[in-house]
Amino acid sequence: MPELPEVETIRRSLLERIDKSVIRDVFIYHPDVFLNIDHLPLQNWQIQAIRRRGKYLLFDLLHDDDPVLSAVMIIHLRMTGKLLYEEHPPEIAKHTHVRLQFDQACLDFNDVRRFGRIALYLKGHELQDQGYASLGPEPLSSDFSETYFLQICKRFSRSTIKALLLNQKAIAGIGNIYADESLFRAGIRPGRRVGSISGKKLKILYQKIREVLAEAIGHHGTSFRDYVDGLGNKGFFQLQLAVYQRTGEPCPQCVSPIRNMQVARRSSHYCPNCQK
DNA sequence: GCCAGCCTGTTG
DNA sequence: CAACAGGCTGGC
């Protein structure tokens, strides 16, 4: 489940290897996964930049033969998607659905559950992608101010705080892991209605969201089950998790057993003593 | 704002 | 063998 810190780690791992590389060809093994929105050619695209927005990864492309032709490749890994850089391209693995072929190496898109998508748009047309176009601010940028956070808390006052944190239109990039972890650090139960939380607590939560995400990037993300970066390396933030996937284990602060409940259709983990 | 559906491997 | 994992879309 790559969330913002995992996607950022993947971006950084790929940057060293494929920035300015030329995609010589795109091999598609499962057509549902690769959407060529503008029917662009699939050969000879130079990667000009690798960016991230929320959980989306974007490759800015310039055509090698026709320098006025530029495109954007948008990649969303959803649950189990991986991008694997291969110096010595292996046989196509069982769940590899797309291969980007460079001169020497390749980049394989592998996804067991096939929820992930790659879409190729003519430059500027990427805003046709509904999910991408409607993303809220980046939580680690100055666009995500305390004032903005308090505004959306007012707007979503009748919703649960967990649902708000997971809403990509409100804040880009938070998924189940970092929603649970930031709520633990702020001492707020996931099922609380936003309107019932004090302004003081919300300001603490605002800080904790940024703190947890920044720390997780520093630890190269959370390798709970599937996640590895573009070079196959695991992250190690799973060692820092206080509540996520720790049902029944002692709270690191007070030793109470961590509980689990469904909130916003998601498995949610919390300490019954530290979180109110 | 809620819920089913998309998927398949892992867990109980 | 069923339930579960969870990001996002699209229909109410």
Side-chain angles (χ1 to χ4, degrees), chain A residues 128-254:
Chain A
Q128 291 171 24
D129 185 311
Q130 298 258 349
Y132 171 71
S134 61
L135 285 176
E138 281 295 312
L140 293 177
S141 80
S142 55
D143 296 346
F144 183 65
S145 63
E146 188 187 80
T147 308
Y148 170 81
F149 183 62
L150 295 175
Q151 271 172 16
I152 57 169
C153 285
K154 196 165 280 181
R155 185 146 65 89
F156 290 92
S157 63
R158 301 195 319 167
S159 139
T160 61
I161 188 66
K162 173 96 179 214
L164 174 58
L165 295 185
L166 294 176
N167 183 344
Q168 302 301 300
K169 294 175 182 153
I171 313 168
I174 300 175
N176 212 26
I177 299 173
Y178 301 106
D180 281 5
E181 291 297 312
S182 45
L183 287 169
F184 170 78
R185 291 191 185 195
I188 302 168
R189 291 199 189 191
R192 279 284 294 276
R193 298 281 151 189
V194 179
S196 77
I197 305 168
S198 70
K200 189 182 162 194
K201 275 278 192 191
L202 290 175
K203 288 179 184 178
I204 293 171
L205 177 58
Y206 167 77
Q207 294 295 342
K208 297 300 180 187
I209 290 167
R210 295 169 65 116
E211 181 187 284
V212 167
L213 292 174
E215 263 180 50
I217 292 172
H219 287 75
H220 297 184
T222 301
S223 287
F224 175 62
R225 213 173 258 146
D226 303 283
Y227 165 73
V228 289
D229 72 11
L231 306 179
N233 298 314
K234 293 187 173 204
F236 39 96
F237 194 72
Q238 63 276 13
L239 303 172
Q240 311 295 320
L241 297 176
V243 291
Y244 182 77
Q245 283 294 334
R246 295 200 185 281
T247 308
E249 293 181 34
C251 165
Q253 278 182 44
C254 77

Side-chain angles (χ1 to χ4, degrees), chain A residues 18-21 45-50 59-63:
Chain A
I18 64 169
D19 193 28
K20 306 295 181 272
S21 290
W45 291 102
Q46 188 183 39
I47 299 175
Q48 297 295 301
I50 305 178
F59 292 176
D60 289 320
L61 305 175
L62 187 64
H63 204 266

